[in-house]
Amino acid sequence: MKLNYHHLYYFWKVARTGHLTRAADSLHISQSALSGQIRKLEDSLGHDLFIREGRRLKLSEAGRMAFSYAEEIFRQGEELTALFASGAQPNREILRIGAVATLSRNFQEGFLQPLLNREDLELSLQSSHMDELLRRLSAHRLDLILANQAVQGDEQNPWRSRLIAKQPVSIIGPRGIDVQGDFVDVLRGRSLIVPGPDNNIRQAFDQLCEYHRLRPNIAAEVDDMAMMRLLTRDTGHFAIMPPVVVRDEMKSGTLADYGALPGVFEEFYAISIRRQFETPALRELLSQTQDNYLTRTLIGHSD
């Protein structure tokens, strides 16, 4: 039996949407023609690939098996097309890295440092929100995403999240404040600048406060670490953030670290998609040890 890849492609498009009409519109063919192509594939394979549930189509057991093969086949095709469309030149590698907009610039620079001076590499850095970056990754327009939270992949989106580093989070405030006792004593009665409620640091901080029955006085919620740094420097409020964000201010004596919060960390993840081919530059990045790039982060420049 010789497999008709046109029929398989039509099946793949319908399986991804779950709707015959939507798939037909995207393929610019009639619904009846698309249905006929899928029936031919089912006849050639000897199995029904869909189960109709109302207006939606659900994959049968055979359909799920066929979809897993089709997904691999056509994702590799998209990857091949993207590779040639990128204009890659012989002996010059292109690496496309995306980062969520709120991610520490210090960390990004430290992580990417081994590649920044390579003349045989073209490095593309893109910043956006997570949903948009994941779309680019799935379309093979990105090789890697740097983020401070993991994502869950599935059969249709085989994303893989790898924890590559974590750093402590401290109470940061103006230098010269006389504080004694543990972190609860430091926080009590002070106006705080904290990350927004969707931030993993904030969630861990809230859990810590709840455990110790502490009700913090929130002066501002800020998603961007660079903005947190400016507000902490200029307002006199205390803040909950990784010390690395304000390393220059601590060196100059403007701000001070009043102690790490137990069990609260900022985590960094590298998010990729399953591929047959992984570029040498990407392998080099992911083979680094946490100590190496966190050390570079600590001695670099501020966000």
Side-chain angles (χ1 to χ4, degrees):
M1 181 185 68
K2 186 175 180 180
L3 183 65
N4 188 311
Y5 285 91
H6 288 291
H7 296 166
L8 184 65
Y9 181 74
Y10 291 147
F11 157 76
W12 180 60
K13 296 292 283 188
V14 173
R16 296 189 83 188
T17 63
H19 287 272
L20 197 65
T21 303
R22 291 180 189 172
D25 290 342
S26 69
L27 293 167
H28 306 293
I29 62 174
S30 69
Q31 183 175 333
S32 59
L34 180 57
S35 180
Q37 298 294 323
I38 291 175
R39 277 198 299 272
K40 290 180 180 179
L41 178 64
E42 290 177 324
D43 290 343
S44 68
L45 296 176
H47 293 277
D48 290 335
L49 301 177
F50 290 106
I51 301 170
R52 184 172 292 277
E53 293 185 348
R55 300 183 67 179
R56 288 188 62 87
L57 294 174
K58 181 181 177 182
L59 288 171
S60 65
E61 186 66 32
R64 284 195 292 271
M65 183 180 297
F67 179 77
S68 67
Y69 278 92
E71 185 82 345
E72 191 68 27
I73 290 169
F74 294 116
R75 281 195 182 280
Q76 287 190 38
E78 288 179 348
E79 184 178 334
L80 177 64
T81 302
L83 176 66
F84 284 100
S86 67
Q89 301 175 9
N91 302 320
R92 185 170 174 81
E93 188 178 341
I94 298 177
L95 188 65
R96 299 154 301 178
I97 305 291
V100 293
T102 58
L103 193 68
S104 165
R105 273 66 168 173
N106 292 337
F107 173 78
Q108 294 179 51
E109 182 182 7
F111 183 74
L112 298 173
Q113 187 65 45
L115 305 181
L116 295 181
N117 295 320
R118 280 182 46 176
E119 299 197 0
D120 61 338
L121 176 71
E122 181 179 327
L123 188 61
S124 171
L125 305 179
Q126 305 173 32
S127 178
S128 188
H129 56 82
M130 180 66 87
D131 289 343
E132 174 59 25
L133 293 175
L134 289 172
R135 280 193 288 270
R136 296 177 193 176
L137 182 66
S138 295
H140 303 286
R141 291 160 52 201
L142 285 175
D143 299 298
L144 191 72
I145 296 173
L146 298 178
N148 44 22
Q149 65 182 47
V151 296
Q152 190 69 38
D154 54 32
E155 288 186 359
Q156 292 193 17
N157 298 295
W159 302 316
R160 298 186 296 183
S161 297
R162 173 179 172 180
L163 178 63
I164 54 174
K166 65 179 183 178
Q167 62 184 3
V169 173
S170 291
I171 305 168
I172 304 296
R175 184 173 292 279
I177 304 296
D178 183 22
V179 295
Q180 297 181 5
D182 62 13
F183 72 94
V184 175
D185 298 314
V186 176
L187 293 174
R188 187 172 284 116
R190 300 192 185 278
S191 296
L192 297 177
I193 300 171
V194 297
D198 293 332
N199 188 290
N200 288 350
I201 295 176
R202 172 65 180 280
Q203 293 167 11
F205 175 66
D206 286 348
Q207 291 174 6
L208 183 67
C209 290
E210 183 178 351
Y211 179 80
H212 289 275
R213 298 182 180 179
L214 178 66
R215 300 187 65 178
N217 179 22
I218 306 300
E221 295 178 333
V222 184
D223 284 329
D224 184 70
M225 285 292 169
M227 179 58 70
M228 283 190 71
R229 177 177 69 88
L230 294 177
L231 291 177
T232 306
R233 184 190 68 189
D234 297 339
T235 64
H237 292 320
F238 278 56
I240 304 302
M241 66 172 71
V244 66
V245 176
V246 291
R247 63 189 171 198
D248 283 358
E249 286 77 9
M250 290 196 298
K251 287 179 182 177
S252 68
T254 306
L255 297 173
D257 184 341
Y258 289 92
L261 293 171
V264 181
F265 297 92
E266 181 178 27
E267 296 180 332
F268 300 99
Y269 291 88
I271 302 170
S272 58
I273 196 168
R274 186 178 67 247
R275 295 189 177 206
Q276 293 295 107
F277 175 73
E278 191 175 82
T279 66
L282 189 56
R283 285 199 301 271
E284 180 180 347
L285 276 183
L286 296 177
S287 66
Q288 299 179 86
T289 65
Q290 172 177 317
D291 289 344
N292 283 348
Y293 45 79
L294 285 186
T295 299
R296 291 194 294 268
T297 298
L298 287 168
I299 63 176
H301 301 288
S302 269
D303 276 330

